[in-house]
Amino acid sequence: MCMSAKTPSLLGGALIIAGTVIGAGMFANPTATSGVWFAGSLAVLLYTWFSMLSGGLMLLEVNTHYPHGASFDTLVKDLLGQGWNIVNGIAVAFVLYLLTYAYIFVGGDLTAKGLGNLLGSEVGLPAGQLVFFVVLAFCVWASTRLVDRLTSILIGGMIISFFWATGGLLTHVQLPVLLDTQAAEGTRYWIYLAAALPVCLASFGFHGNVSSLLKYFNGDAPKVARALWVGTLMALVIYVLWQLAIQGNLPRHAFAPVIAAEGQVSVLIESLSAFVPTGSMATVLSFFAYLAIATSFLGVTLGLFDYLADVFKWDDSTTGRSKTAALTFLPPLVACLLFPTGFVTAIGYVGLAAAVWTALTPAMLLYKARKKFPQSHGYRVYGGLWLVVWVFAFGLINIAAQILSQLEKVPVFKG
């Protein structure tokens, strides 16, 4: 399956990144950041966005020293050794397989309901999962260009549905609610920081796509860097507007039922309706969530596909891509059909495992690469040693926050 000779567009690459980043997980952000509230959530989102973007750009610089298509396996094995490559490989596979599994489950459920409404009769969950899976998996197997095209269409639908759903909320934002001016004197916000960090980290994951994009853009690293900037900034804007829509209308003290329901969208909308008209918001947000799951599935599996191709050194021929596709898609599909709710326990550890290969590994790779390739005249990410330390520390802080949250050793906001 050969790539077209036509030069891919910057926007296409940016949309692949934005589509990977903006998943249905964004619905958890207002709940996870309700403790630190709006000003705190802005600070956390900006800190996370800059750190995750920097980690991605570090991977891009390191990638330029290796053949196109080289992913984590080649880079980590060469620069950090086989021991760390095993640790990193387990973390990459755990996160990408688990997310693929979760997207097949949730996307399949929504597909089954949609088909049921269309056909006027009930459609089983396995049938919905297979339809959702086959259509999108074919696109990833076929080529990155097809993923680019489909993602562009889906993102367009996401943006329209997002503003359709939240337009009314954004025009009703109340500053006293947004700034929590009614809070009792001495109310504390920053003590709830640990609960917010890992959720925001999981909302900015795209690092599995860096080598895919470099290959797709035929080694044009500066263009890939611009795609990473534009794609992640698009996601950041959507996230900030979503925080504004929710935390500007639903008072902090009214978050208790939403937190108790673990951020469930239906409960969030029900709570909102007591303060502002929500109209058809639930229906439109379901449509948005479906498109978000589809674009995230495409982005995540594209990264996993290219990672596995690098691990097993399978080429870009039809046979090579078919073998890679089988290993990419069949395990999560089979797991999803056999154990439809098994991911609930493991999903809590996605942020912890992701911190390993989105922060710790990129920082260490860049440090080693600059020692090994001191005379490089290719793409170079901004910052020197301070950026390496910043991103590495960001990873450690998130791992600590995740572990302390799991052990219930940090304050948890209950509303």
Side-chain angles (χ1 to χ4, degrees):
M1 309 302 287
C2 295
M3 300 288 180
S4 164
K6 186 182 172 189
T7 308
S9 71
L10 170 63
L11 182 61
L15 289 176
I16 287 176
I17 294 300
T20 305
V21 171
I22 305 169
M26 69 170 266
F27 292 130
N29 283 357
T31 308
T33 60
S34 56
V36 293
W37 205 235
F38 186 68
S41 69
L42 281 188
V44 173
L45 284 170
L46 281 168
Y47 170 60
T48 304
W49 164 75
F50 175 75
S51 303
M52 292 289 274
L53 171 63
S54 299
L57 294 172
M58 287 174 165
L59 286 175
L60 175 61
E61 179 182 325
V62 176
N63 255 278
T64 60
H65 301 299
Y66 295 86
H68 295 173
S71 188
F72 278 107
D73 187 68
T74 298
L75 274 53
V76 177
K77 197 183 293 177
D78 184 50
L79 293 171
L80 303 177
Q82 186 59 30
W84 189 256
N85 189 42
I86 291 169
V87 172
N88 190 76
I90 291 169
V92 170
F94 174 77
V95 173
L96 297 184
Y97 270 127
L98 191 66
L99 288 177
T100 302
Y101 171 32
Y103 292 144
I104 293 171
F105 176 76
V106 181
D109 181 45
L110 292 171
T111 301
K113 286 174 182 170
L115 288 173
N117 292 336
L118 201 65
L119 300 172
S121 61
E122 193 172 324
V123 173
L125 178 61
Q129 289 172 342
L130 285 169
V131 171
F132 176 85
F133 169 83
V134 168
V135 172
L136 298 180
F138 170 78
C139 296
V140 175
W141 169 77
S143 73
T144 306
R145 183 169 292 282
L146 190 54
V147 173
D148 172 349
R149 294 289 177 265
L150 183 56
T151 301
S152 301
I153 296 166
L154 294 173
I155 288 272
M158 279 172 62
I159 290 171
I160 293 167
S161 58
F162 177 79
F163 284 104
W164 184 6
T166 61
L169 295 181
L170 290 168
T171 57
H172 278 88
V173 167
Q174 301 160 61
L175 275 179
V177 175
L178 195 67
L179 303 176
D180 200 25
T181 55
Q182 304 301 311
E185 193 177 339
T187 298
R188 294 191 293 174
Y189 299 89
W190 292 106
I191 59 167
Y192 303 112
L193 186 62
L197 281 168
V199 176
C200 289
L201 180 145
S203 300
F204 279 102
F206 64 88
H207 300 66
N209 298 89
V210 174
S211 61
S212 307
L213 276 193
L214 190 62
K215 179 181 171 185
Y216 182 42
F217 282 108
N218 301 312
D220 188 345
K223 193 172 184 180
V224 175
R226 290 195 296 276
L228 297 187
W229 272 96
V230 174
T232 56
L233 275 170
M234 285 174 68
L236 179 64
V237 169
I238 292 287
Y239 289 164
V240 170
L241 289 174
W242 177 239
Q243 296 286 116
L244 189 64
I246 303 303
Q247 295 182 350
N249 288 287
L250 183 61
R252 186 171 182 258
H253 63 78
F255 254 87
V258 186
I259 294 166
E262 297 182 341
Q264 199 175 319
V265 180
S266 58
V267 178
L268 177 66
I269 294 167
E270 190 182 321
S271 300
L272 268 170
S273 63
F275 298 92
V276 65
T278 52
S280 59
M281 187 178 172
T283 306
V284 182
L285 277 182
S286 294
F287 181 64
F288 171 86
Y290 186 68
L291 296 179
I293 289 162
T295 56
S296 293
F297 176 89
L298 288 170
V300 165
T301 55
L302 179 64
L304 180 58
F305 185 96
D306 285 335
Y307 171 70
L308 293 172
D310 181 43
V311 171
F312 295 99
K313 304 298 181 266
W314 287 327
D315 60 22
D316 229 14
S317 65
T318 303
T319 304
R321 290 184 73 85
S322 296
K323 286 192 288 188
T324 308
L327 192 56
T328 301
F329 296 113
L330 291 181
L333 177 66
V334 170
C336 200
L337 293 173
L338 295 178
F339 313 104
T341 56
F343 70 87
V344 174
T345 306
I347 204 88
Y349 296 94
V350 162
L352 194 150
V356 172
W357 57 276
T358 61
L360 301 187
T361 295
M364 293 191 292
L365 283 174
L366 186 69
Y367 182 75
K368 289 284 191 177
R370 286 188 174 173
K371 285 187 175 300
K372 185 169 182 173
F373 309 104
Q375 301 304 318
S376 172
H377 298 292
Y379 172 78
R380 199 170 171 90
V381 65
Y382 50 79
L385 184 60
W386 73 266
L387 190 70
V388 173
V389 173
W390 175 287
V391 172
F392 192 82
F394 168 78
L396 291 180
I397 289 167
N398 270 275
I399 289 170
Q402 180 84 42
I403 292 170
L404 290 172
S405 295
Q406 294 284 4
L407 296 174
E408 299 180 355
K409 296 294 185 186
V410 288
V412 176
F413 181 65
K414 299 290 186 182

